[in-house]
Amino acid sequence: MTGRLLFAGGSGIVGQQAVRLFRQRHPELEILVGGRDFDKAAAIADEVGLAEAVRIDTSRPRLGLAPNIAVSAVVMLVPDAGLHGLALAQDSRIPYLSIGNWLIEVGAEMAHFIRRPDASPVVLSSHWHGGPTVFLAIASSKGLDTIHSVKVGAVVDERDPTGPTALEDMEHGAEGNVLGFADGRRVWLQGDTARREITAIDGRTLPAQAFAPYDIVSLHAATAAKTIRFDIASGISSSRMRGGPVGTEIVLEIEGETDGRTTMRRSSLEFTKGQATLTGLSAVLSLSTVLGLERQPAAPPGLYFPEQLMDPDWFLDELRREGATIDVDLR
């Protein structure tokens, strides 16, 4: 591997967690911690070791990096608004992973990939928390002949720190017309149709708002369900209601058929180390896999979602090792 892995946005709330978690898994690899605030980037670089801080500017070619700085992968932990991070990766023919761009923006990323399909492996990972919902859905769908609907309820604890980029993404994802699927067709949820009640892990009913992360299209492609929607509620997490730490949770309801019999499955995921840590962990698992660091070959040039790179059971087991509580309903 020539050059160092660039974590663009590595000084942010999610970025710091991603850098720490990557260092834990791969203590031997050199990295660059990129940020607008050089002092913050330098602090995290000093903390993890074998790292150097660099100042980046997402509005400039090569993200503002000097021509003599060699990079072996570009990890965008902030929005790649000008797609200069993607251009850097394609020009250098190195892997690219992004968790910061929005679903409505995917067309621009796809256009650049289509124009240069052989340049780089491009991983679009701007899913909720980097992808756990999709892996949970795939694991929970085993044995079903047909899947009629997938409904996701996510609970964000009001005390869980959220960076400004994440807050902006959540506002964009829930405002105006929100993408979903109903009765086999794409629909735009708004007004009353964009609101429903979800049931938290502890059984409480919470008001929620429709949301459209990448999970919507990933779930549709992975399950072929006719009805898909994703809703978010903010309040007190089930963990904190039990007297425990702040938690983030995902509740997944799947309706399907086995041998002509309708069945309902309810799976869940709870994580109590912060949503930034869960997102950073998911990004690191995708990154490690595309680089060939997880006992399988590096991914060739192509366009990927996280669920195309990793086995669902392996991914969920890795989350469990980091403290996630996961219940996969296979009744």
Side-chain angles (χ1 to χ4, degrees):
M1 186 180 295
T2 303
R4 293 167 287 182
L5 284 80
L6 172 64
F7 287 80
S11 59
I13 291 178
V14 173
Q16 290 186 36
Q17 298 302 324
V19 168
R20 293 184 181 111
L21 289 161
F22 187 84
R23 172 57 72 232
Q24 290 173 17
R25 295 183 78 89
H26 309 293
E28 76 287 359
L29 295 179
E30 296 184 34
I31 62 177
L32 295 170
V33 181
R36 289 178 299 180
D37 188 323
F38 183 82
D39 291 339
K40 284 186 177 180
I44 188 67
D46 289 343
E47 175 190 327
V48 302
L50 205 60
E52 180 183 349
V54 289
R55 184 174 282 106
I56 62 168
D57 184 344
T58 58
S59 68
R60 296 177 58 193
R62 287 184 53 84
L63 301 175
L65 296 177
N68 64 334
I69 296 180
V71 177
S72 59
V74 177
V75 187
M76 293 300 302
L77 302 166
V78 291
D80 195 4
L83 297 181
H84 293 300
L86 178 55
L88 170 59
Q90 290 183 307
D91 290 344
S92 306
R93 306 187 74 83
I94 57 176
Y96 172 86
L97 182 144
S98 170
I99 70 166
N101 281 3
W102 194 240
L103 180 57
I104 198 172
E105 300 163 334
V106 70
E109 294 170 312
M110 291 177 63
H112 281 259
F113 171 79
I114 290 169
R115 190 173 182 85
R116 304 171 67 182
D118 299 326
S120 303
V122 174
V123 185
L124 305 181
S125 189
S126 297
H127 298 64
W128 184 244
H129 296 325
T133 300
V134 183
F135 288 99
L136 184 62
I138 294 172
S140 302
S141 300
K142 291 179 180 178
L144 294 177
D145 299 325
T146 303
I147 301 172
H148 295 310
S149 69
V150 178
K151 295 181 180 179
V152 183
V155 179
V156 178
D157 196 291
E158 59 198 9
R159 293 186 182 176
D160 199 346
T162 302
T165 298
L167 288 172
E168 183 179 348
D169 280 349
M170 290 173 68
E171 290 174 1
H172 287 322
E175 65 185 12
N177 296 322
V178 180
L179 179 65
F181 288 87
D183 299 323
R185 296 170 59 94
R186 283 178 295 192
V187 295
W188 297 99
L189 306 171
Q190 58 181 319
D192 290 341
T193 64
R195 292 186 287 271
R196 74 179 179 104
E197 291 188 334
I198 65 173
T199 304
I201 287 176
D202 63 4
R204 285 175 298 136
T205 300
L206 302 172
Q209 175 72 34
F211 188 60
Y214 274 34
D215 304 67
I216 292 290
V217 293
S218 275
L219 288 169
H220 189 261
T223 70
K226 292 184 177 181
T227 297
I228 297 172
R229 65 178 293 158
F230 193 115
D231 298 88
I232 289 184
S234 177
I236 303 175
S237 60
S238 298
S239 173
R240 191 152 64 91
M241 283 293 291
R242 297 192 301 267
V246 166
T248 186
E249 58 192 85
I250 299 166
V251 176
L252 186 70
E253 296 173 328
I254 296 179
E255 179 184 351
E257 287 186 18
T258 303
D259 298 326
R261 176 176 54 87
T262 299
T263 183
M264 296 290 298
R265 294 179 176 179
R266 177 180 162 90
S267 297
S268 63
L269 184 153
E270 184 176 47
F271 193 75
T272 58
K273 295 182 180 179
Q275 57 178 325
T277 302
L278 180 56
T279 304
L281 174 59
S282 298
V284 165
L285 294 176
S286 292
L287 174 63
S288 298
T289 303
V290 78
L291 293 175
L293 302 176
E294 298 294 344
R295 301 181 183 179
Q296 67 183 56
L303 184 63
Y304 303 95
F305 281 152
E307 64 270 18
Q308 296 172 282
L309 296 170
M310 296 170 280
D311 174 76
D313 293 333
W314 177 84
F315 179 89
L316 294 175
D317 282 343
E318 292 300 306
L319 297 194
R320 288 187 179 99
R321 289 190 181 95
E322 291 295 333
T325 300
I326 302 172
D327 177 24
V328 178
D329 184 358
L330 294 177
R331 290 175 294 175

